[in-house]
Amino acid sequence: MTAQVYLNGEYLPLADAKVSVLDRGFLFGDGVYEVIPAYRGRLFRLEDHIARLNNSLNGIRLPLPHSVTDWEAIFRPLLENDIDQSVYLQITRGYAPKRDHGFPEQVVPTIFAMSSELKPFAGRTSGIKAVTLDDTRWQRCNIKAITLLGNILLRQEAIDQGGAEAILVRNGYVVEGAASNLFAVLDSELITPPKSHEILPGITRDVILELAAANNIPFREDVIALEALENASEVWVTSSIREIVPVVELDGRLIGNGKPGPIWKRMDDLLQAYKTSLT
Ligand code: PDD
C-alpha cells in the first residue's frame, strides 16, 4: 500500500501531498513540529506531546483550537497496530501571497502529518560516541521550531568528528544534545539540566524523571558544568526516537569503563517495561 499522509484535512499518497513554494514554512522555517512515538498503534504520552505543541504554537503566536481528541482523530488513519511508528506533525504559518517577514493578515496554517516505521536505534544498547560543541542556537530552544539549522549543523559537526550526537555547551554548562536531552550520573545521582529557554522540554526526559521518582533512583534537576561531565560515571542522551542512549565516549575519552552503565541499564529496563505496560 502506498504511504498515506495527512495534509490540511485530507489523506493522500505522499507523492500527491504538495504545498505552495510561498508557504512560510518553506520560505522562513516559520512553523513548529512534534515527533510522537506510536507503539503498536498506541500513541505514547499524546497529552504531553500536545501540551508541548500548544506551548510551541503559543510561542510563535499561532494558537490552534484542536483538542487532544482532534489530534488523535487526525493521526489514527496513519497508525498501524503491528509495528512501532513515529508520527511527525508539522504546522506552519501557511501560504502568504508575498514574502514578507511580518505575519500575513490572513493566516491559514498548513498542517501536515506523516508516520514512519520506528526501528530500535542500534546505539541504544551499544552506546555512542559524542562530542561537546558550543551551543550556537538561538535563545528560545523550548519552542520546537522547524527552523533547525543550528541543530543540523551541530549534529553534522559531531558526525564529521566520528560521533553520533553533539552535546551542547552554553557559558561553561552542558544543556542538551542537538536532538536530545542530557542526563549524567555524578556520585551515583542522576542529574539533568532544569527546563528553561535553553532546552527543549523532552517528553522522554519527563518519563525518566517520573520513573526515577517511582523507583527510588536518586535524581536532581540541576545545571551541569562541562568539567563535571568529564567526571561523570554515566552520560545519556534521550529522545522519543532513540530513547535512552548511553554515551560511552565523550571528546575521545571513555565515560566510566566505556560501556553502558548500571543506572542506564536499570532505567532502560524501566522504560521498556513502562512502554509494554501501555500497549
Ligand atoms: N527531537 N532536545 C532537542 C533539541 C530535540 O530535538 C529533541 C527531540 C529532544 C528530546 O525530546 P523528546 O524526548 O520529546 O523526543 C530534546 C526529535 C526527536 C526530532 O527532532 O526528531
Side-chain angles (χ1 to χ4, degrees):
M1 200 181 75
T2 351
Q4 297 277 309
V5 301
Y6 172 90
L7 182 62
N8 298 328
E10 283 188 276
Y11 294 89
L12 62 185
L14 181 61
D16 296 343
K18 304 259 166 64
V19 290
S20 167
V21 291
L22 290 181
D23 192 280
R24 291 178 61 96
F26 182 65
L27 290 180
F28 293 114
D30 184 0
V32 298
Y33 74 107
E34 273 297 323
V35 180
I36 310 164
Y39 301 114
R40 312 274 142 178
R42 290 223 182 181
L43 291 154
F44 183 71
R45 307 278 287 213
L46 181 63
E47 291 76 11
D48 297 355
H49 280 278
I50 299 308
R52 182 173 68 185
L53 173 71
N54 287 333
N55 285 336
S56 296
L57 287 167
N58 288 332
I60 69 161
R61 297 164 61 185
L62 185 64
L64 288 188
H66 298 57
S67 66
V68 172
T69 317
D70 296 337
W71 287 118
E72 158 113 58
I74 287 176
F75 301 148
R76 184 58 42 205
L78 305 175
L79 302 181
E80 291 174 44
N81 292 335
D82 51 352
I83 53 169
D84 294 341
Q85 292 167 292
S86 68
V87 173
Y88 176 81
L89 169 67
Q90 166 165 324
I91 299 158
T92 75
R93 208 178 309 276
Y95 162 90
K98 72 176 171 65
R99 182 181 178 278
D100 187 285
H101 285 62
F103 297 170
E105 271 169 27
Q106 299 275 326
V107 175
V108 181
T110 300
I111 303 180
F112 170 66
M114 63 178 173
S115 61
S116 43
E117 186 166 1
L118 184 56
K119 300 234 172 83
F121 174 60
R124 191 190 106 222
T125 44
S126 61
I128 60 162
K129 295 180 186 175
V131 298
T132 55
L133 293 173
D134 261 347
D135 192 351
T136 47
R137 301 173 303 162
W138 67 334
Q139 299 291 335
R140 301 185 68 188
C141 297
N142 53 320
I143 297 176
K144 201 160 171 58
I146 60 170
T147 332
L148 284 173
L149 258 184
N151 308 61
I152 288 168
L153 291 173
L154 288 159
R155 168 65 70 82
Q156 189 57 44
E157 176 65 30
I159 293 170
D160 293 347
Q161 292 189 31
E165 182 58 307
I167 291 179
L168 309 179
V169 184
R170 278 198 196 207
N171 306 316
Y173 293 90
V174 283
V175 288
E176 64 172 343
S180 56
N181 289 115
L182 176 72
F183 286 80
V185 177
L186 291 163
D187 296 328
S188 303
E189 192 181 22
L190 186 59
I191 305 180
T192 195
K195 288 183 184 173
S196 75
H197 66 279
E198 294 182 340
I199 70 168
L200 185 81
I203 307 302
T204 319
R205 176 189 178 283
D206 283 347
V207 173
I208 291 169
L209 294 182
E210 282 175 29
L211 290 172
N215 293 279
N216 300 315
I217 298 173
F219 74 95
R220 185 168 100 227
E221 293 177 75
D222 203 353
V223 295
I224 306 174
L226 176 58
E227 303 92 80
L229 199 67
E230 287 159 7
N231 297 318
S233 58
E234 298 186 29
V235 174
W236 319 334
V237 286
T238 68
S239 70
S240 298
I241 298 298
R242 294 181 170 186
E243 301 184 347
I244 313 174
V245 179
V247 175
V248 293
E249 192 183 308
L250 184 65
D251 294 334
R253 293 216 305 258
L254 295 187
I255 303 279
N257 62 4
K259 301 235 162 57
I263 302 183
W264 167 80
K265 175 73 182 121
R266 173 108 199 273
M267 188 56 79
D268 185 63
D269 287 347
L270 289 169
L271 179 65
Q272 300 310 322
Y274 175 64
K275 281 166 52 187
T276 310
S277 76
L278 299 177
T279 52

